[in-house]
C-alpha cells in the first residue's frame, strides 16, 4: 500500500494460562530460563503475555496477539481487578490489616487495595487481596514493607476470568463469550 508491503494480519487469539512457579513472564530470556512461551509450542500465532507475574508467583495470565486488548487491560484507567491468594510466614496482625486497607505508603507512592480478607478466620496467615493497581511486585511489597515474607502468591482472578479447574502449568483458549466480555470490560 503506497509503496509499502503489508503483512497479512493473523486472526486474534486469546489464551488463559495457569502459570506455574519458576517460569519467567516474557517471550524470550537471554539467560535461558523457562518462559511462559515454552508452554505454547503448538501455537503458530505470535502471542505475548498481557502484564507480568514474577518467577515465584503462580496463577492466571492472559496471552494474546491482540495488542489493542492488551493495552486496554494494562491501562490504569480501566482499573483491571486482580485477586490474589497470599500465604504469609506468620499471621497478619489486625493493625497491619488496617494499615493495608487504609493504603500503605511505599517507595513509589501509595498502595491502595480494593479489598482484603482472611481466607480462613482460624488461619490468619492466608489472605485474599483484590487490587487494580499494576505496580511491579506490588502484593509482595505491601506485605514485605510490614515485615512479612510471602511464602506463596497465586493470582486467582484476572479481569473477571478465573482458573475454573485449569491445572497449574496448563492453558486453554478463551471462549467467544469470554472474549466478548474482555473486549467490553470496563
Amino acid at each position: 500500500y503506497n509503496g509499502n508491503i503489508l503483512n497479512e494480519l493473523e486472526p486474534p487469539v486469546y489464551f488463559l494460562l495457569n502459570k506455574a512457579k519458576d517460569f519467567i513472564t516474557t517471550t524470550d530470556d537471554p539467560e535461558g530460563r523457562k518462559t511462559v512461551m515454552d508452554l505454547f509450542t503448538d501455537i503458530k500465532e505470535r502471542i505475548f503475555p498481557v502484564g507480568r507475574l514474577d518467577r515465584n508467583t503462580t496463577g492466571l495470565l492472559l496471552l494474546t496477539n491482540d495488542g489493542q486488548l492488551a493495552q486496554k487491560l494494562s491501562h490504569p484507567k480501566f482499573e483491571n481487578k486482580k485477586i490474589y491468594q497470599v500465604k504469609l510466614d506468620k499471621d497478619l496482625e489486625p493493625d497491619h490489616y488496617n494499615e493495608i486497607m487504609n493504603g500503605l505508603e511505599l517507595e513509589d507512592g501509595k498502595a491502595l487495595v480494593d479489598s482484603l480478607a482472611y481466607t480462613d478466620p482460624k488461619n490468619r496467615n492466608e489472605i485474599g487481596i483484590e487490587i487494580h493497581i499494576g505496580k511491579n511486585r506490588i502484593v509482595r511489597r505491601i506485605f514485605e514493607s510490614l515485615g512479612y515474607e510471602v511464602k506463596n502468591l497465586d493470582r486467582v482472578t484476572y479481569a473477571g476470568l478465573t482458573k475454573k479447574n485449569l491445572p497449574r502449568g496448563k492453558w486453554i483458549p478463551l471462549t467467544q463469550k469470554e472474549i466478548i466480555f474482555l473486549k467490553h470490560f470496563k
Side-chain angles (χ1 to χ4, degrees):
Y1 180 78
N2 288 339
N4 296 313
I5 297 173
L6 300 180
N7 295 325
E8 185 177 336
L9 290 177
E10 292 179 333
V13 292
Y14 309 87
F15 302 101
L16 189 62
L17 169 67
N18 187 355
K19 181 187 159 304
K21 213 173 201 178
D22 293 327
F23 281 84
I24 308 295
T25 305
T26 185
T27 54
D28 184 46
D29 183 52
E31 296 178 35
R33 297 172 292 185
K34 296 183 290 188
T35 76
V36 293
M37 303 313 294
D38 294 332
L39 302 169
F40 290 87
T41 55
D42 296 341
I43 303 301
K44 65 180 191 290
E45 294 87 2
R46 187 184 158 273
I47 58 174
F48 54 89
V50 179
R52 293 194 179 275
L53 290 176
D54 66 40
R55 195 180 103 227
N56 293 318
T57 300
T58 59
L60 291 181
L61 188 64
L62 181 68
L63 292 97
T64 185
N65 59 358
D66 184 340
Q68 189 173 10
L69 179 65
Q71 176 63 28
K72 178 181 176 182
L73 291 174
S74 301
H75 198 283
K77 83 173 184 181
F78 291 101
E79 297 188 352
N80 179 13
K81 302 239 185 220
K82 299 161 281 266
I83 300 175
Y84 295 84
Q85 281 187 312
V86 184
K87 185 168 185 177
L88 302 173
D89 63 330
K90 57 189 174 191
D91 289 354
L92 179 64
E93 298 296 326
D95 288 349
H96 291 156
Y97 181 101
N98 292 332
E99 280 185 65
I100 293 169
M101 284 304 297
N102 292 326
L104 283 174
E105 197 64 46
L106 300 176
E107 65 277 359
D108 58 349
K110 199 164 199 169
L112 298 170
V113 303
D114 299 318
S115 69
L116 187 70
Y118 296 108
T119 57
D120 177 355
K122 295 180 214 138
N123 191 359
R124 300 180 92 103
N125 72 332
E126 292 185 13
I127 314 297
I129 184 170
E130 180 179 14
I131 61 170
H132 67 270
I133 52 179
K135 295 179 180 179
N136 191 29
R137 298 176 47 86
I138 190 66
V139 175
R140 288 185 189 278
R141 290 190 299 127
I142 286 171
F143 291 103
E144 288 168 358
S145 74
L146 296 169
Y148 297 90
E149 181 185 348
V150 175
K151 293 294 197 180
N152 292 327
L153 183 57
D154 186 40
R155 183 156 65 187
V156 296
T157 303
Y158 179 76
L161 301 172
T162 63
K163 292 196 277 187
K164 52 187 151 174
N165 301 321
L166 181 60
R168 187 95 55 226
K170 301 294 182 189
W171 55 267
I172 55 171
L174 291 185
T175 66
Q176 196 60 39
K177 184 177 179 181
E178 290 168 327
I179 295 167
I180 290 168
F181 172 79
L182 285 178
K183 288 188 175 203
H184 297 290
F185 182 74
K186 293 183 181 164

